[in-house]
């Protein structure tokens, strides 16, 4: 989850002669979002190299700019859980491809919910055997259009992983009928890979 730190203006200087150009840039970004249904993807590197040469801009600068615009949702302000209310036990499990997924509980706050997902699997039989190197994956949570879901933290060891997800607004105290869909992904903009989808139905 991207945590936004308080932003400080990097310089007091601003050339007012370019203010209309900057407004046009903002307008074009808005048009770009609308034209692509807010799913722009990333330009081919060959096209970026061409634009770099044509407009006299550094390729790395253009790559960074398009990466930042890849998903504006990453910059949405994050709700900070406040006023803890209660724990709601769930203990729902799904076994999928030699992995045991458990939705353990919901921590209820006045303005958000925090959901805990644990994953367990069999560790190598030989404790000193070098473990197979595996691509690190993160998870995205989908509940419904009305909820903003973010992965807060995640960690793993040889046979266990645990993730915490922030959901706002808060879920109802009785989550009956709610469907939690977790999508495994590489979390990389350049080579996004989707893995398992795990579904819990309350």
């Amino acid at each position: 989850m991207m945590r936004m730190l308080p932003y400080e203006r990097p310089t007091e200087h601003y050339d007012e002669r370019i203010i209309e150009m900057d407004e046009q840039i903002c307008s074009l970004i808005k048009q770009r979002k609308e034209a692509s249904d807010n799913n722009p993807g990333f330009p081919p590197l060959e096209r970026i190299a061409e634009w770099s040469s044509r407009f006299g801009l550094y390729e790395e600068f253009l790559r960074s700019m398009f990466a930042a615009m890849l998903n504006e949702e990453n910059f949405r302000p994050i709700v900070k859980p406040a006023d803890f209310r209660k724990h709601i036990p769930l203990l729902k499990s799904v076994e999928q491809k030699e992995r045991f997924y458990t939705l353990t509980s919901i921590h209820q706050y006045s303005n958000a919910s925090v959901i805990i997902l644990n994953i367990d699997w069999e560790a190598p039989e030989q404790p000193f055997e070098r473990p197979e190197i595996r691509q690190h994956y993160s998870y995205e949570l989908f509940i419904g259009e009305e909820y903003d879901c973010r992965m807060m933290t995640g960690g793993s060891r040889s046979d266990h992983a645990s993730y915490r997800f922030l959901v706002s607004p808060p879920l109802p105290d009785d989550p009956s009928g709610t469907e939690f869909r977790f999508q495994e992904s590489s979390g990389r903009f350049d080579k996004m890979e989707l893995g398992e989808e795990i579904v819990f139905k309350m």
Side-chain angles (χ1 to χ4, degrees), residues 88-93 102-106 115-116 175 180 202:
I88 301 175
L90 297 177
L91 296 178
K92 289 280 188 177
S93 297
T102 305
L103 206 55
T104 64
S105 62
I106 300 176
I115 297 174
I116 313 299
F180 298 89
M202 298 296 112

Side-chain angles (χ1 to χ4, degrees), residues 124-136:
E125 292 184 6
Q126 309 255 340
F128 299 105
E129 181 180 340
R130 183 177 179 181
E132 180 182 352
I133 297 175
R134 181 179 178 272
Q135 167 73 44
H136 176 70

Side-chain angles (χ1 to χ4, degrees), residues 14-139:
Y14 181 70
D15 191 334
E16 293 286 342
R17 293 174 297 179
I18 63 172
I19 191 168
E20 290 187 4
M21 297 179 193
D22 288 345
E23 288 180 357
Q24 291 174 19
I25 290 172
C26 293
S27 176
L28 285 171
I29 291 173
K30 180 176 183 293
Q31 293 177 45
R32 184 177 187 267
K33 286 175 55 180
E34 293 172 350
S36 66
D37 295 323
N38 204 20
N39 185 25
F42 196 87
L45 296 182
E46 297 81 5
R47 186 60 59 88
I48 288 178
E50 176 191 334
W51 293 337
S52 169
S53 176
R54 189 195 311 175
F55 298 109
L57 300 169
Y58 295 119
E59 285 187 49
E60 186 60 36
F61 167 73
L62 292 178
R63 288 195 290 267
S64 298
M65 181 186 71
F66 285 113
M69 292 193 295
L70 186 59
N71 189 352
E72 185 188 4
E73 293 301 306
N74 289 323
F75 297 92
R76 182 187 296 180
I78 296 169
V79 171
K80 184 177 181 181
D83 186 22
F84 175 77
R85 294 178 47 241
K86 64 191 295 187
H87 287 101
I88 301 175
L90 297 177
L91 296 178
K92 289 280 188 177
S93 297
V94 173
E95 190 167 7
Q96 210 164 292
K97 291 192 176 179
E98 300 182 346
R99 289 188 169 196
F100 195 70
Y101 301 86
T102 305
L103 206 55
T104 64
S105 62
I106 300 176
H107 299 185
Q108 288 289 66
Y109 296 82
S110 62
N111 63 340
S113 298
V114 175
I115 297 174
I116 313 299
L117 173 69
N118 288 336
I119 308 172
D120 295 279
W121 60 91
E122 284 298 311
E125 292 184 6
Q126 309 255 340
F128 299 105
E129 181 180 340
R130 183 177 179 181
E132 180 182 352
I133 297 175
R134 181 179 178 272
Q135 167 73 44
H136 176 70
Y137 281 84
S138 60
Y139 287 84

